[in-house]
Amino acid sequence: MEIGYKLAAEAFGPAELVRQAVLAEQAGFDFVEISDHYHPWLDNQGHSPFAWTVLGSIAARTSRIGLATGVTCPTVRYHPAVIAQAAATLALLSDGRFVLGVGSGERLNEHVVGAGFPDAVSTRHETLREALEIIRLLWSGGYRSYEGKHLRLEDARVFDLPDELPLIAVAASGKVSTRIAAELGDGLFATEDKPEIVRSYRAAGGDGPCYAEVPMAWAPDEHTAAQAALETSRWAVTGWKVMSELPNPVNFDAATATVREQDILEKFACGPDPARYTEVAQRFVDAGFDRLVMQNAGPDPDGFMEFYSRHLDENLRRLRPDTSHA
């Protein structure tokens, strides 16, 4: 079991994200993960810096903690050749501490370049598969070209390649995407505690680590924590089908207007009780995930770091799947 900390790039500026990553290393986290967005989910979050610059700064300011994108879409806003180069460079600068998390993207971030975000999920999956093939091709060395249905590569070479290539964790939520993760990735990434996601990945031959984000909000009392999550992170209760489709923060604001504090409390671990955090994390462990990312939506990241170090770290690392109902 490895435990990560989610850097909320939609809620904090770049310097603060680097500071939190340094604190996460000191608190004992195994890795930090950052979303690669152009927009925040909601306007009141107020931030969305360039993830790759932030990761480079973190690599320079830390020595042990792993780094990951959670996740990058290598198909629209970026060409996969750019991501192949960026990931290789970050792997070198971090001495092999980087994991490339990739996915088929959200309209929220990809529509901004005016190239269009595919309406059909099948097209997004096809394009992601081609992007991963291009990244693997470039990481094999030499000048490479590629002619796909959706993507092309012309006579390109990544000159600076690490001796050990980054692990690629592929975001998945259904059978098609888990098959892509198994065939072209080294690991799985998900945001929901559904056992069928990991089962489908394993059935398709995937044998890598499985990453999942665990929703939580720390504050000295449950109500304060839940209200903070409601204000900035209520989009998390909408599910992936909604999250991938809406184009702008104003749309997410409208789509989540009816989310209640009770909805947050059902999904998130909120407040000061360590047992509740363990309970929510156990759902993901039971679903087969072995890389848990603490996604804190509370108002005090420093307080959460102390809470994690004192009350959560050992308990979370002891979690094992409950097989009593198997």
Side-chain angles (χ1 to χ4, degrees):
M1 182 72 67
E2 291 188 11
I3 311 295
Y5 175 75
K6 180 64 180 280
L7 295 167
E10 302 84 8
F12 301 100
E16 172 61 15
L17 293 171
V18 175
R19 188 189 73 86
Q20 288 183 26
V22 172
L23 288 179
E25 183 172 69
Q26 296 169 355
F29 284 97
D30 297 305
F31 62 95
V32 292
E33 173 212 305
I34 187 171
S35 54
D36 186 355
H37 281 199
Y38 197 88
H39 291 148
W41 296 103
L42 299 169
D43 277 333
N44 64 2
Q45 291 182 291
H47 296 279
S48 198
F50 188 54
W52 294 89
T53 303
V54 175
L55 286 169
S57 296
I58 293 171
R61 292 281 305 278
T62 58
S63 60
R64 174 194 59 80
I65 199 164
L67 317 172
T69 50
V71 293
T72 287
C73 175
T75 62
V76 181
R77 186 165 38 111
Y78 306 118
H79 189 279
V82 175
I83 297 304
Q85 183 188 38
T89 298
L90 192 52
L92 289 167
L93 287 175
S94 64
D95 295 322
R97 291 183 281 144
F98 178 61
V99 171
L100 175 61
V102 299
S104 56
E106 306 103 6
R107 196 177 303 275
L108 175 72
N109 305 299
E110 306 310 317
H111 82 277
V112 299
V113 296
F117 187 64
D119 290 326
V121 174
S122 59
T123 301
R124 299 175 201 173
H125 286 153
E126 289 173 357
T127 311
L128 178 61
R129 178 178 286 277
E130 291 185 6
L132 289 168
E133 290 174 350
I134 288 172
I135 291 170
R136 294 291 191 192
L137 189 63
L138 287 168
W139 282 359
S140 67
Y143 285 93
R144 300 292 179 174
S145 296
Y146 180 96
E147 186 74 36
K149 180 179 177 182
H150 306 286
L151 297 171
R152 295 180 61 202
L153 181 73
E154 185 176 341
D155 206 23
R157 176 184 173 186
V158 176
F159 275 79
D160 291 290
L161 289 171
D163 292 334
E164 184 174 346
L165 295 169
L167 180 149
I168 299 178
V170 180
S173 59
K175 288 186 177 181
V176 175
S177 50
T178 53
R179 191 178 308 118
I180 294 172
E183 293 175 2
L184 290 170
D186 306 298
L188 178 73
F189 183 96
T191 59
E192 298 176 290
D193 56 350
K194 295 180 178 179
E196 57 266 30
I197 297 175
V198 177
R199 283 200 300 265
S200 179
Y201 171 67
R202 299 299 186 201
D207 59 1
C210 296
Y211 293 78
E213 295 178 347
V214 183
M216 54 188 58
W218 183 86
D221 65 274
E222 184 181 73
H223 174 69
T224 299
Q227 281 297 310
L230 184 63
E231 181 180 349
T232 65
S233 302
R234 59 186 183 273
W235 48 266
V237 306
T238 61
W240 189 249
K241 288 186 178 180
V242 174
M243 291 168 63
S244 64
E245 296 299 338
L246 299 182
N248 286 303
V250 65
N251 303 113
F252 279 94
D253 188 35
T256 58
T258 60
V259 176
R260 306 162 301 161
E261 181 176 323
Q262 185 59 37
D263 300 319
I264 295 293
L265 291 171
E266 290 174 3
K267 185 178 181 69
F268 285 67
C270 294
D273 183 4
R276 174 57 177 162
Y277 290 79
T278 303
E279 177 188 356
V280 173
Q282 184 70 56
R283 300 173 188 168
F284 290 87
V285 175
D286 289 345
F289 295 98
D290 54 12
R291 302 288 189 272
L292 303 184
V293 185
M294 306 294 101
Q295 188 175 10
N296 174 43
D300 179 6
D302 293 58
F304 173 73
M305 293 286 186
E306 183 178 0
F307 175 72
Y308 170 81
S309 184
R310 288 188 176 186
H311 301 292
L312 295 184
D313 184 80
E314 291 186 10
N315 289 339
L316 292 176
R317 294 183 189 281
R318 286 199 294 263
L319 292 180
R320 297 294 183 271
D322 181 2
T323 59
S324 61
H325 304 294

